[in-house]
Amino acid sequence: EDVATRSQDSILTLLGKEAKLSAQEQIRELQHLASNGDRQAEVLLVGMLQSSDKTTAQSAATALNTWWAAFPDVSTRMAATKATGLQRRGQLSEALTAFDELLEQFPSWAAAHQMRAKCRNQMKDREGTKSDLRRALELCPINYSILVELGLVLMAGEEHAEALRLFRRARLLFPTMPMLETFERQASEKAGAELPVADEAPGGSSSMAPPAELLPGSGGGLVEAADDELLASSFRSWGAAFVRWLAEARRFPDEDLRQALEGLVAAWTPHGAAGAEEVQRMLAASLDALGSMQGQLNELEEGEADEDRAAFDQAMGRLLQLQSQHEAADAAAAATDMEAVAEHFAAKGWAHIPKVGLSPEILAAVHEELPSLEPEMALGTTSTGLQDWRRDRSVFLKMEDSEEPRQDLPALAVLDEIIQERIEDLCDELESTPMRLRLTGRVPPMVACYDEGGYYRRHVDNNRGADGRALTAIYYLNPGWKPEFGGA
């Protein structure tokens, strides 16, 4: 029932109607459902890309990118991190071998093919790059970033006409995707084709018929899909076409849309082909959304609930902005000689990572958030309850569901993500040192405040193996901190 409610809200948003949840809340819920294998939630996120609000569209894109790049398990994450680490250091042959081993284990993981394609492209293996990207696209045909990457590779090989077709497919999925209009125009000029004019709403029609690609036996491959891999791929294609049609249908009267949906339901019911059940579920959710629209609008609360939604939207929008800035600053961190850092750590038991990829904008945002943690901070204690061993105040930043960042601390969430990335880079190197350190988990991050006269005596974090911790990462948040100020 909860899944159906989330779907209905998103369908109402696609139709330009008001829903219980804000767009940002819907995206967050859909991302959670998609991460649990709900294909309908995934294609509804694709539908959110059609939003005329660029913030909403970009948030949906961030959610999709996160889901598509998600690691199946911890060991896969470590294997992929090792491969990309080798690639960053220019050890391309070793990286390619690592990607090959990764794909032997997960041959149907589109992101792994996409990662190997980047490595092959660096090795000037254009055919191998194209092969990997085409395979990734077969597995996830609605991934606009793969469409664009393949298009750029084709343009480099003077295959402008096919590149143009791929860019146009990407535009149908994500109309406001950054730089896409430029790529499409360049390919069009090279291919000698004209850019299409913007789609116009059909005029004078009192009804609307669903496009043929949404009907059974349309040639889209949905009903012919025989295994889970092909079924998932074909439903994604059908679903992307369906949510795009819904987004366009907002220009028609509700009754016309209802009749069109009922026609689709009749066409797909009864239908025993593979994939029909998911199609029927999505059509039913769409009809239910229309039917419950008035009731939902009557139940919308005002005042405090609206303020909460506005605060949530602001926080999520800020998180998106900060993540974008992190991606820009990450290039500087990649230049760090992590191999030398690892060697120092293995020899001395500690090391300094000079660049973590934190932009001044993110650091400023972190400092803005820190005062809000003051009421949550408590006097630090040791595992045996001693308080004279330390004089500080601290708070653990526990994550919702142990995974997602607190929505009221978007900048600290990004800082935590950045530090985690650098630690993974370090551990990738430490595995090849005599230390052979390999991390398998983590504890929640902690923010500590040392007032004047504060201290923490020398201690062991993992006393007698109490919680399994093997490595501690410290980031000094003091503005203008210098090594001569001292510290841990």
Side-chain angles (χ1 to χ4, degrees), residues 249-309:
R250 70 177 63 193
R251 59 175 70 107
F252 291 93
D254 291 345
E255 187 56 36
D256 288 358
L257 175 58
R258 185 189 307 279
Q259 291 178 7
L261 283 170
E262 289 173 347
L264 274 176
V265 170
W268 282 96
T269 309
H271 205 293
E277 184 176 342
E278 284 197 276
V279 169
Q280 292 161 0
R281 186 165 65 96
M282 194 155 200
L283 292 173
S286 303
L287 280 171
D288 289 344
L290 283 177
S292 63
M293 181 178 64
Q294 191 59 48
Q296 287 190 13
L297 292 177
N298 291 338
E299 293 172 5
L300 280 174
E301 296 179 356
E302 299 179 356
E304 185 177 346
D306 290 338
E307 292 176 4
D308 289 344
R309 279 203 306 274

Side-chain angles (χ1 to χ4, degrees), residues 13 55 80 106 168-169 231 271 274 286 308 319 333 339 342 349 363 384 386 410 412 432 436 451 453-454 487:
T13 300
T55 299
F106 293 96
R168 287 176 173 171
R169 279 178 59 187
L231 180 59
H271 205 293
S286 303
D308 289 344
L319 177 58
E339 184 176 358
L363 185 57
T384 56
L386 296 175
L412 278 165
S432 59
R436 294 286 190 270
D451 298 308

Side-chain angles (χ1 to χ4, degrees), residues 9-11 13-14 22-24 26-27 30 43-53 56-58 60-61 173 243:
D9 265 359
S10 300
I11 289 167
T13 300
L14 286 174
S22 70
Q24 295 292 344
Q26 291 173 46
I27 289 169
L30 289 172
V43 298
L44 284 171
L45 279 172
V46 173
M48 302 290 271
L49 297 173
Q50 304 288 320
S51 175
S52 57
D53 177 34
T56 297
Q58 188 59 57
L173 292 166
V243 293

Side-chain angles (χ1 to χ4, degrees), residues 168-180:
R168 287 176 173 171
R169 279 178 59 187
R171 182 163 58 86
L172 287 174
L173 292 166
F174 189 3
T176 58
M177 183 178 182
M179 294 299 295
L180 182 55

